[in-house]
Amino acid sequence: MPHPVTAMLGVSKRRRLAGPCGYTRAQLHELTQSETMLDRIVQQSRHLVVWQKTLRLIDEMANEIPDPQITAHTSVINSAVESVVKVFISFSNYEVTRTMFTLHVKVDTIEAICRDGRSVTMSYESQQLRDFILCQISEHHIMCIQMAAKLLGWKVLSISNHVGVGDLESIGNAQGIMIASPNNNRVLSIRCAPGKPVRAYVKRSPNSAECRLTSAVQQSKWVGINDFYQEICLNRLEGSDFAQKIETIMACFMPDRSEMYA
């Protein structure tokens, strides 16, 4: 029978010594089930293909999605059948807030480990990894808004990683955040969906001096509860990326400038 060039003819040396050494049945069974050199070569080749596809996908997404920036750092200490790459998502000039996750590329699977300890196991298909990165980008938008609100004195009203209203998303779940200005006269509602543009809405809440209380509404916080949100066109705002545009919106609605944009 034909044999590969790298394979030996006949049995191995250990199996030839099985008879004189008096191997038991369990030991002989273990020899037959051991991994051969050809199996190791096949596993290394399959891992190399998955590894190259993973790096190529990250480079393509970094070119397709300039906002935010996607950078990858590969580890120099890898095994023949497992490699590690760390992916960072950040905005320009806002590197303090960044999302990081680690990809463990194996023979047939890719395991993603997030910063908070969550672990996601995916197959070698590139589409699954692409959907995962898009979901991480959506989470990074929410994290950036939360950090900007903290720095500018805005109050976070609610954060949801699974928004239950609106259209059903084809990839993952939509995420949303609601923040209020320091003097509570503006409320921003921002919705981030994987693979879709970010949508921002603003609602104006009258202050206590502008409220007209009645017998039915006796507190000022209930006056603007029925007001509608107005969508903000982010494409027309100044700023090179999403983080700068959100910072511009918050700065316009600060207490000392609220009356200019009333």
Side-chain angles (χ1 to χ4, degrees):
M1 297 180 63
H3 288 73
V5 178
T6 56
M8 63 182 65
L9 298 176
V11 297
S12 62
K13 181 179 179 181
R14 294 182 63 186
R15 295 183 63 180
R16 287 200 304 270
L17 296 176
C21 294
Y23 279 17
T24 62
R25 182 178 179 182
Q27 292 175 334
L28 291 174
H29 181 71
E30 183 180 355
L31 291 177
T32 58
Q33 298 297 325
S34 61
E35 189 178 19
T36 62
M37 182 65 68
L38 182 59
D39 294 337
R40 296 178 183 178
I41 295 175
V42 172
Q43 289 184 0
Q44 293 180 13
S45 302
R46 295 171 62 181
H47 164 70
L48 181 60
V49 173
V50 178
W51 173 248
Q52 292 177 348
K53 290 175 61 177
T54 302
L55 296 181
R56 190 182 306 112
L57 175 64
I58 295 175
D59 291 339
E60 291 176 357
M61 295 192 66
N63 294 329
E64 295 175 3
I65 308 174
D67 182 23
Q69 298 176 349
I70 302 176
T71 56
H73 300 275
T74 58
S75 177
V76 296
I77 304 177
N78 296 321
S79 64
V81 294
E82 184 176 354
S83 302
V84 179
V85 55
K86 288 187 177 181
V87 182
F88 297 90
I89 302 174
S90 62
F91 289 101
S92 178
N93 300 325
Y94 290 86
E95 288 79 6
V96 177
T97 304
R98 63 180 183 177
T99 301
M100 186 269 292
F101 57 91
T102 306
L103 297 177
H104 292 262
V105 183
K106 302 179 182 179
V107 178
D108 295 326
T109 59
I110 301 175
E111 183 181 5
I113 301 177
C114 302
R115 178 179 292 181
D116 55 359
R118 292 178 299 167
S119 177
V120 180
T121 302
M122 299 165 284
S123 65
Y124 58 87
E125 294 292 340
S126 301
Q127 186 62 38
Q128 296 186 11
L129 179 58
R130 185 182 184 88
D131 296 344
F132 175 78
I133 296 178
L134 290 177
C135 293
Q136 292 297 312
I137 292 176
S138 179
E139 292 184 6
H140 180 71
H141 283 101
I142 299 297
M143 184 186 305
C144 181
I145 297 170
Q146 185 179 4
M147 181 59 64
K150 181 179 180 181
L151 294 176
L152 296 177
W154 287 57
K155 293 176 290 185
V156 178
L157 302 180
S158 65
I159 297 179
S160 177
N161 292 329
H162 307 281
V163 177
V165 296
D167 299 333
L168 182 64
E169 305 298 334
S170 59
I171 302 175
N173 298 306
Q175 303 179 9
I177 182 173
M178 294 182 63
I179 54 178
S181 60
N183 57 354
N184 296 325
N185 66 340
R186 295 292 190 279
V187 176
L188 285 178
S189 177
I190 302 173
R191 177 187 176 95
C192 303
K196 293 184 178 181
V198 181
R199 306 185 67 176
Y201 304 88
V202 61
K203 183 180 72 170
R204 181 176 181 274
S205 299
N207 51 32
S208 58
E210 299 176 354
C211 294
R212 295 181 180 180
L213 302 181
T214 61
S215 59
V217 180
Q218 300 180 359
Q219 296 182 7
S220 59
K221 63 180 181 179
W222 305 113
V223 174
I225 194 171
N226 292 328
D227 292 346
F228 294 98
Y229 283 89
Q230 297 179 354
E231 186 172 1
I232 301 175
C233 184
L234 297 178
N235 297 329
R236 301 178 61 180
L237 291 177
E238 296 182 356
S240 59
D241 53 19
F242 172 76
Q244 294 183 5
K245 293 180 180 181
I246 289 297
E247 185 177 358
T248 301
I249 295 175
M250 294 183 183
C252 292
F253 293 147
M254 291 295 286
D256 54 343
R257 300 184 180 181
S258 304
E259 300 299 329
M260 298 174 56
Y261 299 89

